[in-house]
């Protein structure tokens, strides 16, 4: 299984509408990706690892797929609609990480 | 539920012994944290979000706890042993993110 992590960097002027993200954006992503998407998880940043340190990321999404090829094929088809919706919930530019799930 | 994410930054000279991490470090963490730890997951970085872009993180661990207080109490007890083992598997300095699991 592979995981696509979408990491929204925190900053003093970073905005992120978690209500819109959970109620509108992620359901749209789920509908578009269909059965190729094997699981999804959304986290909201609370803090860094030391007292008083801000969370490095304001929000994180993790999406599971059988393989990188399976993800890329379905994302190529629907990336236009998905990426066009990003400015509706954040002013940040997400970092994307593709990983192999080991445990 | 809250998630503690430990993110090991990638770099051209970054080293990470995934075998040691999975077979020795994470089992030690699981034993030390006991029932306070509600789940764990380990990812190995493959790529970034664009063709030819390296993964931002060489490895990522995600640990679940009932609350930030529950995590901090048990981590305060065992952080010495856990952190002392880090140089045995990596030359990187991990970034820590504490998040609220929303979905």
């Amino acid at each position: 299984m592979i995981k696509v992590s979408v990491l929204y960097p925190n900053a003093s002027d970073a905005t992120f509408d978690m209500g819109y993200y959970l109620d509108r954006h992620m359901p749209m992503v789920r509908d578009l990706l269909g059965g190729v998407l094997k699981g999804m998880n959304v986290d909201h940043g609370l803090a860094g690892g030391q007292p008083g340190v801000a969370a490095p990321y304001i929000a994180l999404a993790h999406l599971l797929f059988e393989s990188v090829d399976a993800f890329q094929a379905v994302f190529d088809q629907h990336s236009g609609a998905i990426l066009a919706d990003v400015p509706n919930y954040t002013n940040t530019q997400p970092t994307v990480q593709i990983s192999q799930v080991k445990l």
Side-chain angles (χ1 to χ4, degrees), chain A:
Chain A
M1 196 74 77
I2 67 109
K3 183 186 289 184
V4 177
S5 297
V6 187
L7 313 172
Y8 295 89
N10 203 359
S12 59
D13 64 346
T15 63
F16 195 93
D17 183 341
M18 185 57 80
Y20 184 96
Y21 193 64
L22 292 172
D23 296 340
R24 304 278 297 276
H25 183 76
M26 292 307 271
M28 181 189 76
V29 169
R30 185 189 281 125
D31 288 349
L32 289 173
L33 302 188
V36 180
L37 179 66
K38 299 304 182 189
M40 61 159 60
N41 152 233
V42 171
D43 303 327
H44 190 197
L46 291 177
Q50 304 289 332
V53 172
Y57 296 105
I58 193 169
L60 308 87
H62 304 285
L63 296 94
L64 294 171
F65 300 89
E66 289 289 353
S67 68
V68 175
D69 286 349
F71 158 67
Q72 282 178 333
V74 75
F75 188 69
D76 283 353
Q77 258 186 290
H78 299 292
S79 61
I82 293 170
L83 298 178
D85 194 41
V86 175
N88 292 326
Y89 60 84
T90 186
N91 65 352
T92 69
Q93 291 285 336
T95 295
V96 177
Q97 161 97 22
I98 302 178
S99 306
Q100 185 85 45
V101 178
K102 304 294 282 187
L103 177 75

